[in-house]
Amino acid sequence: MSNGKFKIYDKLNDVTHYTELIKDNFSVFYKDKKAKVYVHSYGCLQSVSDGEKLKGILVDMGYIATDVLEEADVILYNTCAVRENAEDRVFGNVGVLKALKKQNKQLIIGIAGCMTEQDDVKKRIQKSYPYVDLIMGSNAFDILPKLLYDKLSNNKKYVELEPITEKSDIIENIPVYRDDKIKANVSIMYGCDNFCSYCIVPYVRGRERSRASSEILEEIENLVKQGYKEIMLLGENVNSYGKGLENDIDFPTLLKKINAIKGEFWVRFMSSHPKDCSKELIDTVAACDKIEKHIHLPMQSGSNSILKVMNRKYTIEHFMSLVDYVKEKIPNATLSTDIIVGFPNETREDFEDTLSALRKARFDTVFSFIYSKRTGTVAAKLDDSVTDKEKSDRMCELLSIQNEIIVEKMQSYVDKTLRVLVDTYNTERNSVLGRDSGGILIEIENGDKTLKGRFVDVLITSAKRTLLLGKIV
Ligand code: SAM
Ligand code: SF4
């Protein structure tokens, strides 16, 4: 099949074959040049994790990873479609690449990720950014080697148009390039079946698919052996983990198996959909010493009528009962949430319900977003009576209430001792930074850089809004 300048593939999965072909011919394609690759991911951790695989594949082929855009021979943007502003940023950044392409005729530009699963976006890239060579979907790591090989050997442009919803294979053993040597992302499932009315994810990432538990456990065992200290398990709805797998394993059971892996490390996970968050999951977090005492439970709204139109399939009363259960079973747990402000036709009363839920739940972190219309979703068809000004005013109001809550909460840690995983050395202040099992940022005043990657007990001496200060005890 062909689509103008772009050749269209229906199914390309042969990662190993084409990776080997590029490896074998690398010196032919690049002569003696040490060719470099630049990969940037936009959006959520799932996208970052996919970007680490894309980079891993390219480094495995022979490219050298670089953080300097101008040095690169391959530039890959791994995109996010969840909100419009992330898409705008991608288009802006792709526009800048035109000049680089003029300077380096051999430069290969690829765009991967959720944005490229949308037909209108694909067409816009082909029409307005003709210097883009490869357009891949959100499973780009399956097809990148084949597309890149064809580009290098035939100098053809390729676009992958296979609908994501039909993709069911999960390819294992893809090399992963992790910049971080202490914390590692591990995807345990892909896709989403929930179809919240505002959300593009089910359309661009396809149906839920879980990785085999044996593969996940082996990957984590290897990461722990390599010295990784924090494993972040990723999935759009981790509570659905295991659906459709032959060995009938669920998420709490997977957590228990991970907890049994030998070694000193912590595990965290996101996201946990409130409609599927079971008491068993909360009990498991409480009981397992390696599972961090933090739960991300996206509320979205405090109004039952908005939750209904959002198709979230829980009530605010059910959500609050989960929050109460977490607080009862894990008193030291931190809770974070996502909130959408200005959903179509959100009344002042609906918004007040969100504020009162915020005051009641007292989250430690709130990720708040102004509603962004996503073409193709159910909510995009709704008329909207709320003005942009009302939306941004509501966002400011929400942030200021959450600010007061967080200042009080941070103050309550003073004089307590927290176990901290040190992950950063601050050269300017000659101090080290880390996070506790709830994810709170802590600066250790008497720490030195040898502590990076180690767990230490820290007495909290003072608190700022976003940071605790303390000393090793
Ligand atoms: N699967 C997770 C859940 O539902 O709990 C959330 C994953 S989603 C990629 C991350 C967050 O982006 C959502 O929780 C929601 O708050 C936000 N989001 C998704 N679609 C949005 C939209 N159209 N406008 C604004 N925010 C949106
Ligand atoms: Fe989007 Fe809802 Fe799926 Fe989360 S659960 S990814 S918000 S559709």
Side-chain angles (χ1 to χ4, degrees):
M1 273 195 293
S2 139
N3 173 25
K5 281 189 221 157
F6 291 83
K7 186 166 174 185
I8 301 168
Y9 283 100
D10 292 328
K11 184 88 182 164
L12 298 166
N13 268 337
D14 208 341
V15 177
T16 318
H17 176 65
Y18 288 100
T19 300
E20 291 306 317
L21 274 177
I22 294 178
K23 265 188 207 174
D24 290 348
N25 291 293
F26 206 78
S27 58
V28 178
F29 296 139
Y30 287 105
K31 313 282 182 285
D32 288 328
K33 189 176 180 192
K34 288 189 165 59
K36 294 186 179 171
V37 60
Y38 174 97
V39 178
H40 182 76
S41 295
Y42 299 79
C44 66
L45 280 178
Q46 197 68 284
S47 166
V48 172
S49 172
D50 290 350
E52 290 174 340
K53 291 191 185 102
L54 293 170
K55 205 164 169 180
I57 291 170
L58 289 155
V59 169
D60 189 43
M61 287 168 179
Y63 290 96
I64 295 167
T66 177
D67 292 331
V68 184
L69 195 67
E70 292 75 14
E71 284 183 353
D73 298 278
V74 174
I75 295 176
L76 253 186
Y77 284 150
N78 189 38
T79 61
C80 166
V82 172
R83 282 171 294 275
E84 195 181 1
N85 52 7
E87 288 197 353
D88 291 343
R89 256 187 303 138
V90 173
F91 284 124
N93 291 349
V94 174
V96 171
L97 301 184
K98 190 176 181 181
L100 290 184
K101 189 87 177 190
K102 271 193 187 148
Q103 285 164 26
N104 176 6
K105 293 274 181 287
Q106 243 200 323
L107 173 63
I108 296 175
I109 299 172
I111 308 187
C114 298
M115 255 174 86
T116 57
E117 292 286 344
Q118 303 168 97
D119 276 343
D120 55 334
V121 171
K122 244 177 317 210
K123 283 184 189 127
R124 181 170 164 191
I125 298 170
Q126 286 175 272
K127 189 164 172 271
S128 309
Y129 306 90
Y131 48 90
V132 170
D133 302 285
L134 314 173
I135 305 176
M136 298 160 273
S138 60
N139 267 16
F141 30 84
D142 295 8
I143 56 156
L144 169 68
K146 164 74 174 151
L147 299 192
L148 185 59
Y149 177 75
D150 283 341
K151 172 70 196 162
L152 287 166
S153 55
N154 300 324
N155 197 25
K156 282 185 188 157
K157 296 188 173 209
Y158 291 105
V159 59
E160 140 78 11
L161 290 183
E162 180 188 9
I164 178 73
T165 41
E166 285 169 21
K167 284 185 182 137
S168 54
D169 305 342
I170 292 179
I171 299 187
E172 293 291 352
N173 301 319
I174 293 177
V176 185
Y177 186 97
R178 294 180 165 96
D179 287 315
D180 199 316
K181 299 293 169 238
I182 298 168
K183 301 178 175 192
N185 297 318
V186 173
S187 294
I188 62 165
M189 60 171 296
Y190 301 93
C192 179
D193 291 352
N194 288 315
F195 288 94
C196 299
S197 65
Y198 50 82
C199 185
I200 195 80
V201 169
Y203 305 91
V204 292
R205 295 195 79 95
R207 301 287 66 74
E208 287 171 357
R209 283 113 49 216
S210 295
R211 287 178 69 197
S213 58
S214 54
E215 299 283 355
I216 298 170
L217 293 168
E218 194 185 322
E219 182 175 354
I220 297 175
E221 272 168 21
N222 282 333
L223 288 167
V224 172
K225 276 188 201 142
Q226 286 168 43
Y228 280 91
K229 297 293 180 205
E230 183 180 79
I231 309 296
M232 169 64 102
L233 307 177
L234 295 171
E236 297 305 345
N237 177 12
V238 288
N239 301 319
S240 296
Y241 174 77
K243 258 202 298 184
L245 285 182
E246 273 170 20
N247 59 355
D248 200 22
I249 181 173
D250 62 9
F251 186 53
T253 312
L254 177 72
L255 282 181
K256 284 175 205 155
K257 285 180 184 244
I258 295 171
N259 195 63
I261 293 174
K262 287 198 175 65
E264 193 184 26
F265 66 99
W266 282 348
V267 182
R268 55 198 285 133
F269 57 86
M270 76 188 303
S271 279
S272 194
H273 194 302
K275 87 173 160 53
D276 303 315
C277 178
S278 62
K279 289 191 170 172
E280 190 198 350
L281 173 65
I282 296 166
D283 293 341
T284 305
V285 174
C288 293
D289 59 324
K290 288 171 185 156
I291 312 291
E292 293 185 34
K293 306 307 172 216
H294 166 253
I295 296 191
H296 182 66
L297 212 50
M299 180 174 88
Q300 312 301 359
S301 169
S303 153
N304 279 333
S305 51
I306 295 287
L307 287 174
K308 195 151 192 264
V309 191
M310 284 179 164
N311 194 30
R312 289 291 286 178
K313 300 199 177 85
Y314 55 83
T315 60
I316 191 62
E317 290 75 21
H318 174 74
F319 182 89
M320 281 304 167
S321 72
L322 288 173
V323 168
D324 291 343
Y325 194 74
V326 172
K327 289 183 177 175
E328 181 197 329
K329 293 289 168 175
I330 326 171
N332 59 341
T334 55
L335 272 165
S336 59
T337 198
D338 294 345
I339 292 177
I340 296 180
V341 175
F343 185 78
N345 305 314
E346 178 192 67
T347 62
R348 179 71 211 174
E349 205 184 352
D350 292 323
F351 179 62
E352 292 282 350
D353 287 346
T354 299
L355 295 183
S356 82
L358 203 69
R359 290 191 187 98
K360 227 161 126 198
R362 292 175 64 80
F363 299 105
D364 298 83
T365 310
V366 172
F367 300 97
S368 47
F369 313 102
I370 290 186
Y371 168 75
S372 170
K373 185 174 173 174
R374 304 284 62 209
T375 308
T377 61
V378 172
K381 297 184 191 97
L382 297 172
D383 289 333
D384 191 359
S385 59
V386 195
T387 65
D388 287 352
K389 162 106 176 51
E390 276 171 309
K391 291 184 192 210
S392 52
D393 287 351
R394 281 178 195 174
M395 178 62 114
C396 292
E397 205 177 330
L398 182 139
L399 291 176
S400 111
I401 288 170
Q402 179 57 22
N403 225 357
E404 284 169 24
I405 294 170
I406 204 64
V407 167
E408 279 174 33
K409 288 200 94 165
M410 292 294 267
Q411 207 54 44
S412 71
Y413 288 105
V414 175
D415 294 334
K416 288 191 177 141
T417 298
L418 301 176
R419 187 126 183 98
V420 176
L421 170 59
V422 180
D423 57 17
T424 312
Y425 172 64
N426 182 334
T427 7
E428 272 169 36
R429 290 171 56 86
N430 193 25
S431 65
V432 290
L433 293 148
R435 291 187 187 265
D436 83 328
S437 140
I440 302 167
L441 185 63
I442 296 149
E443 180 173 352
I444 306 167
E445 292 163 303
N446 60 341
D448 64 76
K449 55 179 146 188
T450 59
L451 293 177
K452 224 176 128 181
R454 282 175 50 194
F455 291 94
V456 286
D457 291 321
V458 177
L459 174 69
I460 303 305
T461 50
S462 64
K464 296 183 181 174
R465 192 178 62 81
T466 53
L467 174 84
L468 298 175
L469 293 152
K471 288 193 159 78
I472 296 177
V473 287

